[in-house]
């Protein structure tokens, strides 16, 4: 199958009129892939009153923007969005389609793929071209990295989380062509979003936190988990978790770090009672200093951090929190005296 | 009566799944027979069905595609309260990606008449794509809502559900028949009861293979999968670790110094 001239697509989205960072990051990566392939980057964006966002997409690397700007596109409606994307994709025949792993992207990607009869790879942590220009979609597996390819069907669709790729430099001189998208006609809507409710996120947001404390199975119980939570609070850090900690019900899915969770890039990462499985560790991108607390000296987590403490976290973490509190009180007093 | 299908996957038991690693020396994967368990998040999908059945007349069919031992997982679902179970098992189904899995499940679900609701877990623990539910919806030509945490209204053929979003939720109205993926916050799954096990002993599960679904072999399993694994590479660890030694107090002090050096306190 020859893919000449078939563009690289990015499905962008807007949240209350703003393009989320992940969309710009994947446009940056799409630009690199498209340059290697010698093809265009085309971005698809739907919304209402969003034409002021189009320049940003060009600055990030788009050559063409398919823009649907209409009241029907005001909020995400799966059937309208799927139909609009699929019908334009059939005309333009993209070879690659990248979608952010947002809630919308995670629902839309499989709908688009199934409609187009093609494959897709979830939560990729890298995307590179092989010698034949086929997209290697990399995910962690079995303690290593697995490359998944979609050799025949097109487009090759991948979802990517925020923070996997760097934010591209925005080039204010770039511009491109806008192709309007009209709302699809005559679809009988069987599913309709009636209302979207936004709640204020609590605590320090993980993705931008300078310090992250993540806990795992080693917490042992909700009480053990609360100690880890207390450590995060004392350090003014964002609280992260491994998947089993979420499965135990100790914490919310939103705190999960890793391949199928969030990507973090803190100055300091402290992993408590977790084994350093790659699916978790790939979520920590470019942390400056990494520390692990684990009671098993042979735990693989110690091969992936700068400092290790071999201790039972249920004993060590409360002692650490206590000492940190004392230190804080002391420095607080000292500052006062001075 | 509401006809509910719950899609349940048999997944490797977590501890043994973690032992399946690329050998750093041979750089290959040593396969072993792993004990299977019900995908934890599918318990929430089954529980959602059981809760609906407690409120109104409903019939629950559990369906699972997997190797023959996955039949035990289907039986476990019967013991938890499902009415009947279907195992999709055929050597040709092996190696299916999310697309081929959803396609095969859809063809089987189409054989059951008058389905109102199809429930899936949010994700499987081994595949974790979250794709099977939505793809199933396309193949069944049904609407879908993912990440459902609450059934707000479930009277008649028009349901309202609450589904998770980043920092919030959406209220969605859906016309049945429809597919839903259920989050783990939706409910707390029940555990097996002795009477459930006894009652389920009389229930039989049905096994369907390729011929029962009347599908060409090219459309299922590895052959029906658009994606394939092209390579597996061993990853070297990147950091040099210094283990902090001493008594508990000393370790605390040294660690705090490291935190000061890192500039976080
Ligand atoms: C497709 C796929 C996607 C996945 N995505 C993710 C993801 O995004 N994020 C994620 O986190 N996981 C993900 N996983 C799961 C991942 O493979 C691991 O199962 C998980 O990260 C392990 O979590 P853990 O380290 O908490 O648990 P374990 O591996 O069980 O490790 C627990 C650790 O705690 C230590 N310990 C026990 N007791 C104590 C104690 N008292 N004090 C100190 N230490 C103690 C043990 O020595 C052990 O090292 C995914 C898996 C798959 C297959
Ligand atoms: N082989 C299977 N048999 C039955 N249901 C499945 C199978 N694979 C996936 N599912 C369903 O699809 C959901 C999402 O799986 P996944 O797309 O693998 O994350 C699971 O929670 C199950 O409800």
């Amino acid at each position: 199958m020859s893919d000449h001239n078939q563009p690289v697509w990015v499905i962008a989205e807007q949240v209350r009129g703003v393009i989320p960072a992940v969309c710009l990051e994947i446009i940056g990566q799409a630009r690199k892939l498209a340059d290697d392939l010698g093809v265009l980057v085309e971005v698809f964006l739907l919304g209402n009153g969003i034409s002021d966002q189009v320049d940003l997409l060009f600055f990030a690397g788009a050559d063409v923007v398919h823009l649907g700007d209409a009241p029907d596109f005001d909020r995400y409606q799966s059937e309208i969005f799927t139909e609009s994307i699929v019908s334009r994709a059939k005309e333009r025949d993209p070879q690659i389609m990248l979608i952010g792993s947002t809630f919308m992207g995670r629902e839309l990607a499989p709908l688009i793929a199934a409609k187009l009869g093609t494959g897709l790879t979830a939560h990729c942590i890298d995307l590179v071209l092989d010698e034949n220009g086929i997209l290697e979609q990399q995910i962690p597996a079995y303690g290593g990295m697995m490359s998944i390819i979609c050799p025949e069907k097109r487009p090759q669709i991948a979802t990517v989380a925020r923070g996997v790729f760097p934010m591209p430099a925005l080039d204010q001189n770039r511009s491109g062509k806008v192709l309007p998208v009209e709302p699809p006609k005559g679809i009988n809507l069987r599913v309709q979003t009636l209302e979207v409710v936004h709640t204020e996120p609590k605590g320090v947001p993980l993705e931008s936190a300078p310090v992250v404390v993540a806990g795992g199975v080693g917490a042992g119980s909700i009480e053990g988990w609360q100690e880890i939570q207390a450590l995060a609070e004392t350090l003014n850090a964002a609280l992260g978790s491994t998947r089993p900690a979420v499965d135990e019900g100790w914490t919310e899915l939103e705190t999960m770090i890793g391949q199928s969770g969030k990507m973090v890039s803190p100055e300091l990462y402290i992993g408590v009672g977790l084994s350093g499985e790659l699916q978790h560790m790939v979520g920590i991108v470019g942390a400056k200093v990494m520390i692990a607390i684990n009671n098993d000296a042979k735990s693989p987590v110690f091969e992936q951090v700068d400092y290790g403490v071999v201790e039972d976290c249920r004993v060590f973490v409360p002692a650490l929190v206590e000492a940190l509190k004392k230190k804080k009180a002391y420095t607080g007093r000292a500052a006062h005296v001075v | 009566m509401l006809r509910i299908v719950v899609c349940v996957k048999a997944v490797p038991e977590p501890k043994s799944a973690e032992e399946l690693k690329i050998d750093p020396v041979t750089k290959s994967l040593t396969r072993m027979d792993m004990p299977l368990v019900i995908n934890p998040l599918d318990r929430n999908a089954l529980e959602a069905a059981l809760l609906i059945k407690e409120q109104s007349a409903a019939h629950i069919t559990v369906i699972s595609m997997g190797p023959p031992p996955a039949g035990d997982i289907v039986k476990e679902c019967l013991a938890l309260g499902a009415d009947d179970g279907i195992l999709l098992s055929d050597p040709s189904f092996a190696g299916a990606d999310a697309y081929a899995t959803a396609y095969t499940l859809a063809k089987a679900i189409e054989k059951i008449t008058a389905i109102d609701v199809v429930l899936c877990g949010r994700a499987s623990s081994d595949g974790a794509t979250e794709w099977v539910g939505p793809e199933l919806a396309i193949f069944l030509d049904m609407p879908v809502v993912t990440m459902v945490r609450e059934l707000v209204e479930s009277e008649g053929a028009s349901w309202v559900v609450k589904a998770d979003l980043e920092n919030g939720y959406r209220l969605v109205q859906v016309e049945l028949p429809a597919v839903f993926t259920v989050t783990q916050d939706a409910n707390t799954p029940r555990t097996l009861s002795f009477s459930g096990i006894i009652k389920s002993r009389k229930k039989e599960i049905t096994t369907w293979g390729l011929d029962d679904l009347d599908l060409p072999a090219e459309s299922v399993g590895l052959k029906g999968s658009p994606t394939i694994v092209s390579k597996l590479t061993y990853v070297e660890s990147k950091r040099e670790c210094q283990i902090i030694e001493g008594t508990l107090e000393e370790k605390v002090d040294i660690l705090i110094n490291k935190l000061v050096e890192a500039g976080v306190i």
Side-chain angles (χ1 to χ4, degrees):
Chain A
M1 164 145 206
S2 142
D3 292 326
H4 349 272
N5 299 328
Q6 287 175 250
V8 175
W9 265 38
V10 171
I11 307 297
E13 70 180 282
Q14 46 85 29
V15 180
R16 288 178 284 177
V18 180
I19 312 276
V22 63
C23 297
L24 303 175
E25 294 165 3
I26 58 180
I27 292 172
Q29 183 64 13
R31 181 74 265 159
K32 285 189 192 150
L33 296 169
D35 286 344
D36 287 347
L37 292 162
V39 300
L40 299 181
V41 172
E42 303 191 359
V43 177
F44 196 100
L45 178 67
L46 299 177
N48 186 22
I50 42 150
S51 43
D52 58 337
Q53 295 296 313
V54 171
D55 280 343
L56 186 58
L57 303 176
F58 290 132
F59 297 167
D63 299 304
V64 173
V65 173
H66 300 273
L67 178 69
D69 196 354
D72 279 356
F73 296 135
D74 194 32
R75 54 165 86 114
Y76 167 60
Q77 303 285 8
S78 61
E79 289 163 304
I80 295 178
F81 278 44
T82 306
E83 180 53 33
S84 304
I85 295 165
V86 165
S87 59
R88 184 60 59 92
K90 281 183 181 156
E91 286 165 30
R92 309 289 289 191
D93 201 15
Q95 55 179 306
I96 292 174
M97 187 186 280
L98 307 183
I99 306 179
S101 289
T102 59
F103 279 68
M104 180 190 100
R106 289 156 101 127
E107 183 173 287
L108 257 183
L111 294 175
I112 298 168
K115 273 253 156 130
L116 292 173
T118 187
L120 76 167
T121 308
H123 321 315
C124 297
I125 61 142
D126 204 2
L127 296 168
V128 296
L129 296 168
D130 75 4
E131 58 285 5
N132 302 316
I134 287 183
L135 190 67
E136 282 189 1
Q137 308 162 57
Q138 300 185 344
I139 60 168
Y142 315 114
M145 222 33 99
M146 186 155 88
S147 293
I148 294 178
I149 57 170
C150 183
E152 278 155 21
K153 298 287 193 331
R154 293 294 175 268
Q156 309 161 79
I157 309 184
T159 61
V160 180
R162 173 177 173 193
V164 170
F165 295 115
M167 181 61 86
L170 297 178
D171 177 355
Q172 313 261 348
N173 297 318
R174 281 190 53 94
S175 77
K177 198 155 88 182
V178 176
L179 298 176
V181 176
E182 300 301 328
K185 291 195 183 64
I187 30 176
N188 159 36
L189 288 189
R190 300 169 297 181
V191 44
Q192 260 176 296
T193 299
L194 303 175
E195 196 185 340
V196 176
V197 178
H198 290 279
T199 47
E200 277 313 310
K202 31 182 194 304
V204 189
L206 258 182
E207 293 98 324
S208 52
V211 185
V212 168
V213 173
V217 166
S221 64
I222 184 73
E223 288 75 29
W225 184 261
Q226 282 159 354
E227 298 290 353
I228 298 173
Q229 223 166 351
L231 177 61
E233 271 160 35
T234 316
L235 289 172
N236 211 4
L239 180 71
S241 65
T242 63
R243 196 172 75 179
V246 176
D247 291 348
E248 289 291 341
W250 297 333
T251 179
E252 298 272 307
L253 183 60
E254 312 215 325
T255 66
M256 187 168 89
I257 294 174
Q259 189 213 349
S260 35
K262 288 188 173 152
M263 300 283 155
V264 299
S265 45
E267 300 280 312
L268 172 71
Y269 164 91
I270 307 180
V272 185
L274 50 83
S275 64
E277 281 282 334
L278 213 52
Q279 281 102 350
H280 176 75
M281 301 311 277
V282 293
I284 304 137
V285 192
K288 276 219 190 82
V289 179
M290 295 180 70
I291 297 174
I293 302 166
N294 193 303
N295 64 353
D296 175 7
K298 291 200 202 67
S299 171
V301 74
F302 292 127
E303 288 159 25
Q304 304 172 67
V305 296
D306 305 295
Y307 301 105
V309 176
V310 184
E311 281 289 348
D312 182 339
C313 64
R314 289 164 300 183
V315 179
F316 187 77
V317 171
L320 180 61
V321 170
E322 211 40 51
L324 282 168
K325 280 189 181 150
K326 272 202 200 115
K327 186 173 171 72
K328 256 194 197 166
Y330 175 74
T331 19
R333 216 173 305 130
H336 192 71
V337 172
V338 172
Chain B
M1 188 174 62
L2 210 59
R3 298 261 342 198
I4 306 174
V5 171
V6 184
C7 298
V8 168
K9 186 176 185 183
V11 297
E13 189 267 319
K15 272 283 149 285
S16 28
E18 261 166 40
E19 281 159 23
L20 189 60
K21 285 277 142 66
I22 303 175
D23 188 308
V25 181
T26 63
K27 309 245 184 321
S28 65
L29 208 57
T30 13
R31 277 268 165 202
M32 47 180 183
D33 277 336
M34 282 181 288
L36 297 175
V37 296
I38 172 169
N39 175 41
L41 298 183
D42 295 349
R43 288 185 181 278
N44 298 94
L46 179 60
E47 183 63 29
L50 294 169
L51 291 172
I52 292 168
K53 195 180 163 181
E54 283 173 5
Q55 298 300 316
S56 50
H59 181 94
I60 303 172
T61 301
V62 165
I63 188 162
S64 184
M65 182 176 98
D72 292 342
I73 302 304
V74 177
K75 286 200 185 122
E76 190 180 327
C77 295
L78 297 183
L80 284 162
D83 298 294
D84 51 30
I86 301 169
L87 174 68
L88 303 178
S89 198
D90 192 292
S92 65
F93 295 163
D97 68 1
Y99 185 95
T101 302
Y103 184 76
T104 313
L105 285 169
K107 291 298 154 190
I109 293 171
E110 275 174 0
K111 272 185 69 145
I112 316 168
T113 41
I115 293 302
D116 300 297
V117 175
V118 178
L119 298 176
C120 286
R122 181 181 61 78
S124 63
S125 67
D126 56 346
T129 67
E130 308 174 19
W131 302 151
V132 170
E135 297 209 319
L136 201 51
I138 295 291
F139 296 134
L140 291 169
D141 192 20
M142 288 184 190
V144 64
V145 187
T146 57
M147 304 289 285
V148 172
R149 71 152 63 210
E150 193 185 323
L151 254 181
V152 180
E153 267 175 54
S154 57
E155 298 278 311
S158 179
W159 283 13
V160 177
V161 298
K162 198 189 250 192
D164 285 356
L165 275 185
E166 18 303 89
N167 302 320
Y169 63 88
R170 53 186 174 131
L171 281 177
V172 190
Q173 181 167 5
V174 200
E175 304 303 323
L176 301 189
V179 179
F180 301 93
T181 76
V182 176
T183 71
Q184 70 209 89
D185 301 316
N187 52 48
T188 309
R190 65 196 65 191
T191 47
L192 277 176
S193 69
F194 185 65
S195 65
I197 298 172
I198 299 291
K199 266 193 239 158
S200 71
R201 282 215 182 125
K202 279 178 280 170
K203 300 180 192 166
E204 277 297 315
I205 68 166
T206 310
T207 302
W208 285 341
L210 188 67
D211 295 341
D212 301 291
L213 298 185
D214 208 9
L215 286 176
E218 303 80 64
S219 65
V220 298
L222 191 60
K223 285 191 191 141
S225 296
T227 61
I228 54 169
V229 173
S230 73
K231 54 179 179 225
L232 211 49
T233 38
Y234 179 70
V235 178
E236 301 285 343
S237 43
K238 290 175 245 102
R239 292 181 193 241
E240 202 64 59
C241 182
Q242 179 193 332
I243 298 287
I244 295 171
E245 311 279 357
T247 62
L248 185 75
E249 288 69 30
E250 286 164 354
K251 288 179 185 173
V252 167
D253 283 346
I254 299 170
L255 192 63
I256 289 180
N257 279 334
K258 298 296 173 201
L259 299 181
V260 173
E261 276 170 31
V264 301
I265 46 174

